[in-house]
Amino acid sequence: MNPPPQTTSITTRSSVRKLSDNLASSKIPFRPRKIRKVTSNAASEDAIKIKSPQPPLTVSPQIPKSLSEKPEIDLALNHLRHIDPLLATLISVHPPPKLSPCNSPFLSLSKSILYQQLATKAANSIYNRFISLCGNESDVVPSTILSLTPQKLREIGVSARKASYLHDLSDKFSTGVLSDASILTMDDETLFQMLTAVKGIGPWSVHMFMIFSLHRPDVLPVGDLGVRKGVQLLYGLKELPKPAQMEQICEKWKPYRSVGSWYMWRLLEAKTKGNGKAQSVEAEQIGGF
């Protein structure tokens, strides 16, 4: 049997081939689609804010609390009465602290150097001669002290060592390392570090200055013999407490350890009155303030 004719098959293949060739040769243009970025108004505003320069923040120095004000002393007494029954008894029989105003931190620090390791009477005499040499108390400024030679200071009874201390203090003030204004606004820790960097001014001197000149409320002079003896008497301790023990025992007085220390002097003063001592305990130790 003869096969069927191939005409239709050939024609079909030829048509398909032509169609394929036409499709291959034809170019259908496609426009590329642009992708638009959508930016929210909030994001745009944030970007503007970031780019816009910000004015510098002005922070006023925060002046530390002071016992110069009666309300602060009242708060201290109420706190100490509540927290320590033994101290409450002392508070009930002794008057509250009375602190003299400090007009010049520089003058107070200079005076403390002059009074170091001297009996009150001798220190007063040297201080009066020192004031006369400067002119008056208002003339006790860094430039005046720097103009006084060690020999000139020696003539009024100031040792060469103390003269070097006075000059170092004056130099730090004249160069701006310290100033009356900065001392008044420094926190306790910074002030302690800055002042103990001055020659001749140690921890005890700084503590006395902070209590009696700046009237800082939370200072515990752990190296002061009078305060340590007062703590020993108040709590009936067999031995004089060491500085580390003082920190632990007086922790509860915070943030008014200066006032607690004041009452330790009062306690010791009352104890020593029977020995004929007319002068207060802290007056013997802190005449320079």
Side-chain angles (χ1 to χ4, degrees):
M1 190 174 195
N2 295 329
Q6 300 291 323
T7 305
T8 303
S9 176
I10 294 171
T11 303
T12 301
R13 285 198 298 270
S14 177
S15 298
V16 172
R17 189 180 294 111
K18 287 181 180 181
L19 179 60
S20 298
D21 292 341
N22 290 337
L23 289 173
S25 61
S26 66
K27 294 182 179 180
I28 301 174
F30 288 95
R31 296 181 62 185
R33 302 179 70 180
K34 294 182 179 180
I35 300 174
R36 298 179 62 187
K37 294 182 179 179
V38 179
T39 306
S40 66
N41 291 336
S44 298
E45 290 175 2
D46 288 342
I48 293 172
K49 288 180 182 178
I50 293 171
K51 292 179 181 179
S52 301
Q54 295 294 318
L57 292 175
T58 303
V59 180
S60 300
Q62 189 173 15
I63 299 176
K65 290 183 179 180
S66 170
L67 294 172
S68 302
E69 304 296 331
K70 186 179 181 300
E72 192 66 26
I73 291 180
D74 290 341
L75 286 173
L77 297 180
N78 289 335
H79 170 76
L80 294 173
R81 286 192 191 101
H82 175 73
I83 206 71
D84 192 336
L86 293 176
L87 195 53
T89 303
L90 279 181
I91 293 172
S92 66
V93 297
H94 293 286
K98 290 183 179 179
L99 302 172
S100 302
C102 170
N103 296 322
S104 167
F106 178 78
L107 174 62
S108 294
L109 290 168
S110 300
K111 190 175 182 181
S112 74
I113 290 173
L114 292 171
Y115 273 70
Q116 285 176 4
Q117 299 178 336
L118 291 176
T120 304
K121 186 176 180 180
N124 285 337
S125 177
I126 291 175
Y127 179 71
N128 290 334
R129 292 198 295 268
F130 173 75
I131 294 302
S132 298
L133 184 63
C134 292
N136 53 59
E137 284 193 332
S138 63
D139 294 320
V140 180
V141 293
S143 58
T144 300
I145 294 181
L146 288 173
S147 69
L148 301 174
T149 63
Q151 179 58 36
K152 196 70 176 177
L153 290 168
R154 187 72 187 91
E155 291 174 2
I156 62 168
V158 179
S159 68
R161 184 182 59 185
K162 287 187 178 180
S164 70
Y165 296 164
L166 289 170
H167 284 160
D168 186 58
L169 174 67
S170 301
D171 183 66
K172 284 180 169 56
F173 268 78
S174 63
T175 56
V177 175
L178 290 169
S179 69
D180 282 354
S182 66
I183 283 175
L184 293 176
T185 57
M186 283 182 194
D187 62 78
D188 291 351
E189 184 178 351
T190 302
L191 181 62
F192 183 87
Q193 292 174 352
M194 295 296 288
L195 291 183
T196 51
V198 179
K199 291 180 181 178
I201 297 182
W204 182 86
S205 294
V206 176
H207 286 154
M208 296 301 106
F209 173 71
M210 291 170 72
I211 294 173
F212 291 97
S213 293
L214 301 185
H215 308 163
R216 297 289 175 90
D218 194 33
V219 179
L220 179 66
V222 294
D224 183 84
L225 185 60
V227 176
R228 292 170 65 197
K229 284 184 176 179
V231 169
Q232 182 184 17
L233 288 170
L234 182 65
Y235 297 108
L237 304 178
K238 292 182 179 180
E239 297 180 356
L240 196 65
K242 296 180 180 179
Q245 291 175 291
M246 291 284 292
E247 292 281 1
Q248 294 176 353
I249 294 170
C250 304
E251 173 74 17
K252 58 189 171 185
W253 295 353
K254 287 183 176 181
Y256 295 109
R257 292 178 297 175
S258 298
V259 180
S261 299
W262 167 276
Y263 283 100
M264 294 305 96
W265 282 310
R266 299 282 74 75
L267 175 59
L268 186 58
E269 179 186 348
K271 188 75 174 177
T272 55
K273 268 187 176 179
N275 298 330
K277 285 197 172 186
Q279 195 174 35
S280 65
V281 173
E282 82 274 14
E284 294 181 345
Q285 304 178 71
I286 56 158
F289 297 96

